[in-house]
């Protein structure tokens, strides 16, 4: 009989397993589960090779220690393996698995996988009492041995590049896979343009078109085929007409994206070859096929997937500790910007219902069963891709002249938002007008000859902006208050019916100034809306700003390279300075993504006690390391965390106090953090926010001055708040949530994540940690 590993002091012994197809971010989730389990007094065990390891047992179920998962955040795939297991699909296999878990003393299981893996887990839990009883009856185990294991708690995390699970907006690995696709399409764009070619690109997604749809939105593809919404009968002619119109407008390249599960209304498969033949034979365009294949699955996780995996791993451990025998098996999910728990089997049933609806040719139901975000992006894509749609055109008396202005520092996604806004305006009959180079351009160069700073935008001009970084219409930090009279005159002269701001805290300030000037200047009595776009993510009224994800990816790539150097040198600490202004968001979230030892932010400040304790912890850590691999450490310091303790001074203090036992260097990535090509997340969210903003402005219509003066919401910020995407009036946001002095929201949703960074790095904390900044209570996981 196998020797039972006793469970001391009623501790929870938590098993973690990856199953199904691998996805980037799985290793980050395992790391978070292992370290959070240890920090909460539990004992984590890794089950290697998925369900196969659970059935086979033995050395495939191993206790994990703190250092076993060092460096795992930057690893792709799953380091504990995954394998198909037919044995677990049979009760006899699940009986073996139950025995192996009891032998190892495991009484809770966290599974990272797709819907099939999670369904198997829930079946395992429902059968658990019967399996335990059978093990006693067959004398495999005694009643005493199974006594601590009468109940099994299971928590599911969804790891899937397809993002095919219902009840969550994103699965671990989906945005990393989307990044690979967008990078490939961006590269293909250049050669397609050079030769005036068409490319048909096949992406993964047998039953879910999320990757294909999001790639289409991100890259401005001409046509997209997804399983949930197949093209109408006669799609061949429709596609050729759209491509032909684009070519006649002067477009040199054509991109068509096909999900591998694409089909027509009769469920007849649509293949890349079929699309290629149409483009070649009917339109006589030189067309090539590119099948991306498993490139989409590989590589390290992007910043978002590292954050998602880490925060969901932390939440999974908390769910285990809070579970009761009656608690339904939870699935940890994300809705908009909030980590939540959903009933696992309800999510699985909804997911399976999509496939059934497609098989029944009920495509309206299939779209409805997907999350609301999917349907919204589908509408955004259809509205912004082909602008020649007479049925969507508004009556002439409802058409508006909508000004678009960028204010503040450049941020990835500004151009994508502008492109989407222009395309929407043209589709609906509005006139999109760019104000080039901000309010300075408006006041000084609005009527320059031959081209002034105020000009109408056309579709072809903006069509290739989806993947461009920076600001194509120019941006700066100038405010209308520098010459309010001239700004008012320009608004009147150019007959703006609405204005669309894209920018950071300066844009927020500019909108506030125009709103307050409405009493004096009638030309400002028009609807106004702001989509926050800044790498600092410090705009009140939202928890996410366009550009912040691009910044995080650039910073994570930089830190991964730095950490590789630090690890290769075995005993080296790098202190890296981050952007962010007076907000520590970028430093904190980057700390989550790279596994930083410590993060210094303006909100918390830096004190000599804090530095002394951190240096002492570094001494202790390197003393017991004995030259192990991956021993390098990173500390992130926000550029304004302290006026006294600069990045260089901290690095020098660490080096001096190390007494030669380890080394310290500092690194300043600077404006590299603004990123180059915007990340897919920034692109798709830019499109969604821009379309939603245009719909908001459109609802007021032209000549709405009286309504504008009545309604506070006529000047609004569009932002993510928890699980919602909402418009908030500027008046309310200024009153309730704006710290004007520190240029950030009063209530920053991410502050509790500093505790997560410290916990997962093993950094000791004390109640007197606060330096010059304001102290905040520690929090768990929630808003992301």
């Amino acid at each position: 009989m196998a020797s039972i590993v006793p469970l001391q002091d009623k501790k929870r012994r938590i098993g973690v397993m990856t199953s199904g197809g691998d996805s980037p971010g799985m290793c980050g989730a395992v790391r978070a589960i292992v370290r959070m389990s240890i920090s909460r007094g539990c004992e984590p065990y890794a089950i290697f090779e998925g369900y196969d390891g659970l059935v086979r047992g033995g050395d495939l179920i191993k206790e994990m220690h703190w250092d076993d998962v060092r460096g795992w955040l930057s690893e792709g795939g799953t380091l504990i393996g995954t394998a198909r297991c037919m044995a677990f699909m049979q009760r006899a296999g699940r009986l073996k698995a139950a025995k192996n878990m009891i032998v190892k003393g495991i009484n809770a299981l966290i599974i990272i996988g797709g819907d099939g893996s999670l369904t198997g887990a829930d079946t395992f839990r429902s059968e658990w009492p019967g399996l335990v009883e059978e093990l006693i009856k067959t004398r495999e185990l005694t009643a005493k041995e199974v006594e601590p294991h009468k109940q099994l708690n299971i928590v599911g995390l969804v790891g899937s590049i397809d993002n095919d699970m219902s009840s969550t907006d994103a699965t671990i690995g989906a945005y990393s896979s989307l990044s690979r696709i967008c990078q490939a399409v961006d590269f293909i764009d250049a050669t397609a343009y050079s030769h005036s070619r068409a490319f048909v690109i096949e992406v993964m997604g047998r039953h879910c078109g999320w990757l294909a749809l999001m790639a289409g939105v991100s890259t401005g593809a001409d046509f997209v085929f997804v399983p949930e919404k197949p093209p109408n009968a006669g799609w061949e002619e429709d596609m050729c007409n759209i491509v032909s119109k684009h070519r006649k407008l002067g477009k040199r390249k054509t991109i068509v994206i096909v999900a591998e599960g694409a089909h027509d209304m009769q469920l007849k498969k649509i293949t890349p070859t079929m699309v290629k033949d149409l483009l070649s034979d009917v339109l006589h365009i030189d067309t090539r096929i590119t099948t991306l294949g498993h490139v989409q699955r590989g590589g390290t996780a992007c910043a978002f997937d590292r954050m998602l995996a880490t925060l969901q791993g932390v939440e999974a451990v908390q769910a285990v500790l809070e579970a009761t025998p009656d608690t339904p098996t939870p699935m940890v999910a994300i809705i908009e910007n909030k980590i939540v728990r959903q009933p696992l089997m309800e999510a699985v049933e909804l997911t399976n219902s999509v496939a059934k609806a497609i098989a029944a040719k009920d495509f309206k139901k299939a779209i409805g069963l997907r999350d609301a975000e999917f349907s919204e992006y589908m509408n955004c894509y259809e509205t912004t891709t082909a602008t020649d749609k007479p049925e969507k055109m508004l009556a002439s008396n409802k058409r508006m002249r909508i000004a678009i202005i960028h204010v503040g520092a450049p941020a990835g996604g500004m151009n994508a938002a502008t492109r989407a806004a222009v395309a929407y305006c043209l589709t609906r009959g509005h006139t999109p007008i760019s104000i080039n180079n901000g309010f300075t351009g408006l006041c000084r160069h609005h009527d320059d000859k031959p081209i002034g700073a105020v000009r109408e935008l056309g579709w072809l001009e903006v069509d290739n902006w989806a993947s461009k970084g920076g600001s194509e219409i120019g941006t700066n930090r100038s405010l209308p208050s520098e010459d309010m009279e001239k700004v008012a005159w320009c608004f009147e002269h150019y007959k703006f019916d609405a204005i669309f701001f894209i920018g950071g805290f300066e844009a927020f300030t500019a909108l506030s100034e125009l709103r307050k000037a409405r009493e004096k200047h009638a030309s400002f009595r028009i609807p106004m809306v702001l989509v926050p776009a800044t790498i600092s993510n410090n705009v009140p009224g939202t928890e996410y700003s366009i550009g912040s994800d691009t910044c995080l990816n650039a910073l994570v790539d930089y830190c991964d390279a730095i950490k590789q150097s630090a690890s290769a040198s075995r005993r080296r600490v790098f202190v890296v300075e981050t952007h962010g202004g007076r907000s520590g968001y970028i430093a904190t979230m980057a700390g989550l993504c790279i596994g930083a030892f410590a993060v210094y932010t303006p909100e918390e400040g830096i004190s000599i006690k804090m530095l002394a304790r951190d240096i002492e912890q570094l001494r202790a850590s390197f003393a017991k390391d004995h030259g192990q691999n991956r021993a390098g450490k990173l500390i992130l310091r926000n550029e304004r965390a302290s006026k006294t303790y600069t990045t260089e001074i901290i690095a020098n203090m660490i080096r001096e106090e190390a007494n030669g036992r380890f080394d310290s260097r500092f690194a300043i990535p600077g404006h590299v953090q603004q990123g180059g090509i915007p990340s897919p997340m920034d692109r798709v969210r830019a499109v969604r926010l821009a379309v939603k903003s245009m719909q908001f402005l459109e609802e007021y219509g032209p000549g709405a001055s009286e309504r504008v003066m009545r309604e506070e919401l006529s000047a609004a910020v569009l932002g993510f708040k928890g699980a919602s995407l909402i418009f908030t009036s500027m008046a309310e946001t200024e009153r309730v949530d704006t710290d004007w002095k520190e240029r950030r929201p009063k209530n920053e949703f991410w502050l509790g994540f500093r505790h997560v960074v410290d916990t997962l790095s093993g950094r000791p904390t004390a109640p007197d940690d606060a330096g010059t900044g304001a102290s905040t209570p520690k929090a768990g996981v929630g808003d992301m």
Side-chain angles (χ1 to χ4, degrees), residues 7 36 65 67 85 201 215 256 296 336 375 460 470 474 485 501 512 523 543 555 576 614 709 716 752 765 774:
L7 195 61
M36 184 55 67
H65 301 94
D67 289 339
C85 182
I201 300 169
V256 177
Q296 299 161 81
E336 299 295 5
S375 178
L460 189 62
E485 296 294 329
F501 285 87
S512 172
S523 58
E543 295 173 2
L555 189 55
V576 179
D614 287 342
M709 294 302 288
T765 57

Side-chain angles (χ1 to χ4, degrees), residues 574-591:
F574 270 95
V575 184
V576 179
E577 183 173 295
T578 75
H579 274 184
R582 297 185 181 93
S583 170
Y585 171 85
I586 287 297
T588 301
M589 302 314 279

Side-chain angles (χ1 to χ4, degrees), residues 632-708:
K633 298 186 185 300
L634 263 63
I635 292 174
L636 300 184
R637 176 193 172 274
N638 169 277
E639 59 189 341
R640 297 196 180 184
S642 170
K643 292 180 180 179
T644 303
Y645 300 111
T646 66
T647 304
E648 184 175 3
I649 285 175
I650 292 173
N652 290 339
M653 289 175 67
I654 293 172
R655 186 185 304 112
E656 183 72 20
E657 294 297 321
N659 295 322
R661 297 182 66 178
F662 53 92
D663 190 19
S664 177
R665 305 286 175 88
F666 72 96
I668 302 177
H671 283 75
V672 167
Q673 295 166 79
Q674 285 188 351
I677 297 173
S679 72
M681 170 169 280
D682 278 333
R683 296 192 218 178
V684 297
R685 285 191 166 180
V687 171
R688 183 185 178 196
L689 295 174
V691 169
K692 211 168 186 68
S693 295
M694 291 302 102
Q695 292 169 340
F696 171 82
L697 297 175
E698 181 182 83
E699 198 272 329
Y700 279 86
S705 59
E706 291 185 7
R707 180 183 170 190
V708 163

Side-chain angles (χ1 to χ4, degrees), residues 186-251:
D186 290 343
F187 291 165
I188 287 169
D189 256 0
T191 189
Y193 184 91
S194 299
H195 297 276
S196 193
R197 283 179 179 152
F199 276 83
V200 182
I201 300 169
E202 185 180 53
V203 302
M204 288 185 173
R206 281 175 295 176
H207 304 295
C208 180
W210 187 87
L211 284 174
L213 174 60
M214 293 303 185
V217 173
S218 298
T219 62
D222 295 84
F223 211 85
V224 169
F225 293 92
V226 299
E228 294 90 342
K229 192 171 183 181
N232 295 321
W235 64 266
E236 297 91 342
E237 184 179 353
D238 291 342
M239 182 190 72
C240 288
N241 285 340
I242 288 174
V243 172
S244 181
K245 286 177 183 177
H246 289 178
R247 290 279 172 161
K248 287 176 182 177
L249 287 168
K251 192 171 183 179

Side-chain angles (χ1 to χ4, degrees), residues 161 173-184 210-216 218 296 305 680-681 684:
I161 67 166
Y175 273 98
S176 297
S177 181
L178 182 61
S179 297
R180 309 282 179 273
I181 296 169
C182 290
Q183 185 181 48
W210 187 87
L211 284 174
L213 174 60
M214 293 303 185
S218 298
Q296 299 161 81
D305 277 329
M681 170 169 280
V684 297

Side-chain angles (χ1 to χ4, degrees), residues 614-630:
D614 287 342
I615 292 171
E616 188 59 37
Q617 178 67 11
L618 287 170
R619 281 186 188 142
S621 178
F622 282 112
K624 68 178 183 180
D625 188 78
H626 304 302
Q628 293 177 27
N629 191 22
R630 306 175 188 266

